[in-house]
């Protein structure tokens, strides 16, 4: 059966809507956004203490909302605000069956916890599928996935799992030794015309392996879809040359506020206008409207009605391009050079291969009693996990962290936990998750990043 039927009616309806809506003229988009914003602001005002207090403090009534610009009357919020007000931001009981708990690494190594609708996946997957179609992907095509899934070895030690419904081939991103990469590539060559779905750091490791060994990439790969980390322009170019196909990237967040993707002809990011309300704000909080100027990505999500995020500062920055893509004609806000906290940080396994932080990132309750954390590594195969605990942190938490991270690390790297009162910025200044002290060849070009 074709995957579109197996994914369900709501997925099919979402796809139909998204496929259509991407071509709406700007005026229709504005009308739609205004309507969605009114709904989410009303819900937030009526059902949450936090937003009622906030709206009242600036004399804002959701019913008075007449134009998109009226959003400027509201203050922006950031991660710290969410951490401090989590229990006052939910519109319903978090014990309800249609509510999920979510978590993400967030900026500066501080975990962010939140609640979100269980049905978000079918909406999100429709937007992603419609984005990938622009790169030539068709639902039902085989996809080789290297995105941090725990993949157990078969009896020959080969780390591969197959999902026949979505035709997804999973390989382990935690075991990127030369031997394993060779097996992955050999296997990918047998799955027919396919796409790769990857973290940028993983595909770069594969490309470097191919270059190092003077071999060739499988010829059946039609395109590469990269998400969740910054992409460096030189790295994009290197991967496209090695694989001989397009490196297509999307930008989004676990909190589901803003989603953006390239188009058929351009690598610039087209912001999906029906997914959330996007703003780009300068240091003073003013909208960036001049092409070439940079601003922070601020989002108001339409999908999460359990815990609305209204004017949330993502900590990611981008360059403003315009309100229309000249290459494809879509009347979407276009941005480029996205940079933020999702850098390509890696730990080094005992055999010298890399384990990307993005793959290790936990999206569950692993770090529930942790204010901040960071790995410190001085020796391959070993690390210290420095943790700033919050009240309630105990033996159970340490055990859970060892167990959950240990499942992914699979003895390739062992770590001890060290509790500390503060984690200073590393000498490199940029390290967020991994203070990497092992000297090694420069893995990532240090020029500007252009995507996540
Ligand atoms: Zn375009």
């Amino acid at each position: 059966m074709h995957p579109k039927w197996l994914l369900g009616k709501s997925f099919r309806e979402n796809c139909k809507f998204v496929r259509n809506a991407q071509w709406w003229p700007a005026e229709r988009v504005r009308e739609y956004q205004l309507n969605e914003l009114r709904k989410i602001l009303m819900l937030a005002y009526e059902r949450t203490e936090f937003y009622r207090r906030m709206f009242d403090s600036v004399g804002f009534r959701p019913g008075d909302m007449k134009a998109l610009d009226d959003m400027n009357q509201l203050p922006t919020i950031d991660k710290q605000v969410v951490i401090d007000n989590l229990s006052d931001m939910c519109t319903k009981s978090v014990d309800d069956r249609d509510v999920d708990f979510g978590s993400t690494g967030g900026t500066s190594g501080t975990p962010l916890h939140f609640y979100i609708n269980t049905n978000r996946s079918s909406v999100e997957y429709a937007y992603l599928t419609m984005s990938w179609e622009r790169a030539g992907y068709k639902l039902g095509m085989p996809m080789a996935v290297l995105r941090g899934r725990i993949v157990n070895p078969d009896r020959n030690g080969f780390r591969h799992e197959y999902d026949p419904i979505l035709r997804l081939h999973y390989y382990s991103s935690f075991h990127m030794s030369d031997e394993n990469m060779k097996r992955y590539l050999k296997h990918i060559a047998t799955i027919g015309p396919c796409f790769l779905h990857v973290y940028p750091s993983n595909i770069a490791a594969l490309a470097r392996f191919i270059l190092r060994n003077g071999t060739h990439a499988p010829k059946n790969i039609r395109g590469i879809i990269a998400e969740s980390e910054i992409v460096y322009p030189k790295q994009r170019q290197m991967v496209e040359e090695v694989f001989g196909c397009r490196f297509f990237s999307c930008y989004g967040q676990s909190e589901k506020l803003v989603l953006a993707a390239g188009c058929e002809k351009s690598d610039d990011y087209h912001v999906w206008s029906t997914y959330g309300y996007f703003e780009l704000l300068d240091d003073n909080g003013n909208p960036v409207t001049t092409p070439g100027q940079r601003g922070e990505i601020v989002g108001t999500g339409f999908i999460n009605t359990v815990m609305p995020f209204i004017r949330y500062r993502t900590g990611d920055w981008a360059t403003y391009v315009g309100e229309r893509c000249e290459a494809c004609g879509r009347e979407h806000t276009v941005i480029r050079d996205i940079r933020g906290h999702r850098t390509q940080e890696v730990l080094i396994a005992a055999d010298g291969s890399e384990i990307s932080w993005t793959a290790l990132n936990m999206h569950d309750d692993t770090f529930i009693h942790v204010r901040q954390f960071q790995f410190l590594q001085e020796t391959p195969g070993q690390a210290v996990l420095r943790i700033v605990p919050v009240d309630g942190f105990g033996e159970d938490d340490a055990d859970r962290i060892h167990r959950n991270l240990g499942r992914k690390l699979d003895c390739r790297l062992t770590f001890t936990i060290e509790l500390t009162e503060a984690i200073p910025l590393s000498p490199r200044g940029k390290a967020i998750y991994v203070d990497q002290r092992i000297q090694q060849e420069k893995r990532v070009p240090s020029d500007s990043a252009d995507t996540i």
Side-chain angles (χ1 to χ4, degrees):
M1 195 186 272
H2 192 277
K4 79 176 174 192
W5 298 106
L6 296 163
L7 284 162
K9 188 167 175 232
S10 125
F11 171 77
R12 289 195 301 279
E13 284 172 358
N14 285 323
C15 283
K16 197 173 160 194
F17 169 77
V18 176
R19 184 177 279 125
N20 217 340
Q22 63 183 324
W23 297 105
W24 283 355
E27 198 179 324
R28 179 149 184 213
V29 167
R30 280 196 292 273
E31 200 178 302
Y32 179 88
Q33 291 192 319
L34 188 59
N35 200 29
E36 289 298 303
L37 283 173
R38 278 198 195 112
K39 281 197 280 188
I40 200 89
L41 294 181
M42 192 68 85
L43 184 72
Y45 186 72
E46 286 178 352
R47 301 272 182 83
T48 77
E49 295 226 357
F50 171 76
Y51 284 113
R52 177 167 289 253
R53 269 199 312 269
M54 183 216 264
F55 291 12
D56 282 347
S57 74
V58 293
F60 182 89
R61 293 282 175 282
D64 297 344
M65 177 105 181
K66 298 280 183 299
L68 296 176
D69 286 350
D70 292 342
M71 284 294 279
N72 299 340
Q73 296 169 33
L74 289 171
T76 56
I77 58 170
D78 60 14
K79 190 171 66 164
Q80 195 55 49
V81 172
V82 176
I83 290 170
D84 294 341
N85 295 281
L86 184 63
S87 57
D88 282 349
M89 289 179 72
C90 293
T91 59
K92 59 191 301 188
S93 165
V94 298
D95 297 324
D96 284 1
R97 263 196 303 182
D98 57 354
V99 175
D100 274 349
F101 177 73
S103 173
T104 176
T107 47
S108 64
T110 310
L112 173 70
H113 299 120
F114 57 92
Y115 295 94
I116 192 161
N117 316 46
T118 47
N119 73 352
R120 71 191 176 286
S121 304
S122 81
V123 182
E124 169 94 348
Y125 203 64
Y127 276 96
L128 289 175
T129 309
M130 293 302 111
S131 302
W132 301 341
E133 277 193 357
R134 299 176 186 171
Y137 172 78
K138 292 267 178 306
L139 195 66
M141 275 176 95
M143 187 110 95
V145 186
L146 269 163
R147 286 180 58 80
R149 183 186 173 100
I150 295 174
V151 180
N152 294 315
D154 64 14
R155 72 171 78 87
N156 299 314
F158 181 43
R159 292 181 182 269
H160 164 257
E161 270 173 24
Y162 182 54
D163 171 354
I165 294 179
L166 292 173
R167 297 172 197 165
L168 301 178
H169 294 267
Y170 294 101
Y171 306 90
S172 172
S173 347
F174 302 104
H175 300 81
M176 299 283 283
S177 64
D178 281 10
E179 173 65 27
N180 284 328
M181 286 195 277
K182 193 173 160 188
R183 291 175 100 169
Y184 296 166
L185 289 165
K186 200 174 159 198
H187 189 265
I188 289 169
T190 67
I191 65 174
C194 67
F195 271 69
L196 303 191
H197 191 204
V198 296
Y199 293 136
S201 52
N202 284 146
I203 194 68
L206 272 181
R208 285 196 306 270
F209 169 76
I210 292 170
L211 284 176
R212 212 165 43 235
N213 287 275
T215 52
H216 296 284
K219 299 251 181 295
N220 53 319
I221 300 170
R222 298 287 175 262
I224 293 161
I225 294 160
E227 281 150 12
S228 315
E229 285 174 345
I230 281 174
V231 176
Y232 300 90
K234 279 188 183 157
Q235 191 177 59
R236 178 193 291 271
Q237 196 189 334
M238 186 263 288
V239 169
E240 287 189 337
E241 277 168 19
V242 170
F243 284 89
C245 62
R246 184 160 175 211
F247 185 121
F248 182 86
S249 46
C250 299
Y251 163 81
Q253 321 78 20
S254 311
E255 303 93 309
K256 316 288 177 225
L257 308 173
V258 170
L259 187 73
C263 72
E264 295 80 355
K265 296 168 188 154
S266 164
D267 288 329
D268 286 347
Y269 293 86
H270 302 47
V271 179
W272 283 102
S273 51
T274 47
Y275 182 96
Y277 180 63
F278 167 90
E279 295 175 84
L280 199 63
L281 301 181
D282 67 16
D283 283 333
N284 301 317
N286 298 317
V288 172
T289 51
T290 312
Q293 238 184 45
R294 289 184 71 73
E296 184 174 2
I297 296 173
V298 176
T300 301
F302 298 156
I303 296 175
N304 191 349
T305 54
V306 171
M307 187 173 145
F309 279 75
I310 295 173
R311 299 201 90 200
Y312 181 78
R313 306 188 83 107
T314 59
D316 295 328
W317 289 68
T319 301
Y320 181 73
V321 177
E323 292 301 316
R324 180 176 192 275
C325 171
E326 295 308 324
C328 69
R330 286 181 182 86
E331 297 196 325
H332 287 181
T333 304
V334 180
I335 51 174
R336 62 167 69 129
D337 298 330
I338 299 175
R339 297 182 211 180
H341 47 282
R342 276 158 286 186
T343 50
Q344 297 184 11
E345 298 186 74
V346 295
L347 288 160
I348 310 296
D351 64 2
S353 62
E354 296 177 356
I355 301 171
S356 82
W357 157 255
T358 315
L360 273 181
N361 194 2
M362 306 303 293
H363 295 283
D364 54 20
D365 63 354
T366 303
F367 289 112
I368 188 96
H369 292 131
V370 171
R371 190 183 315 282
Q372 212 185 340
F373 60 90
Q374 187 184 63
F375 280 102
L376 166 68
Q377 186 170 33
E378 292 174 323
T379 313
Q382 292 172 27
V384 176
L385 177 58
R386 296 189 287 199
I387 283 178
V388 181
V390 294
D391 288 346
F393 185 94
E395 287 280 308
D396 287 357
D397 291 278
D399 288 348
R400 186 171 57 239
I401 290 167
H402 268 296
R403 197 169 53 241
N404 292 356
L405 282 178
R407 266 210 310 270
K408 292 183 170 183
L409 291 167
D410 191 31
C411 301
R412 302 186 67 245
L413 180 130
T414 56
F415 66 94
T416 52
I417 292 178
E418 195 178 284
L419 298 184
T420 173
E421 280 179 14
I423 294 173
L425 270 183
S426 79
R428 289 194 299 135
K430 277 170 63 184
I432 295 169
Y433 306 114
V434 185
D435 184 355
Q436 186 52 266
R437 305 281 177 90
I438 300 170
Q439 293 293 327
Q440 53 206 313
E441 40 147 357
K442 228 173 164 191
R443 287 179 303 268
V444 167
S446 58
D447 61 354
S448 67
D450 78 346
T451 109
I452 288 189

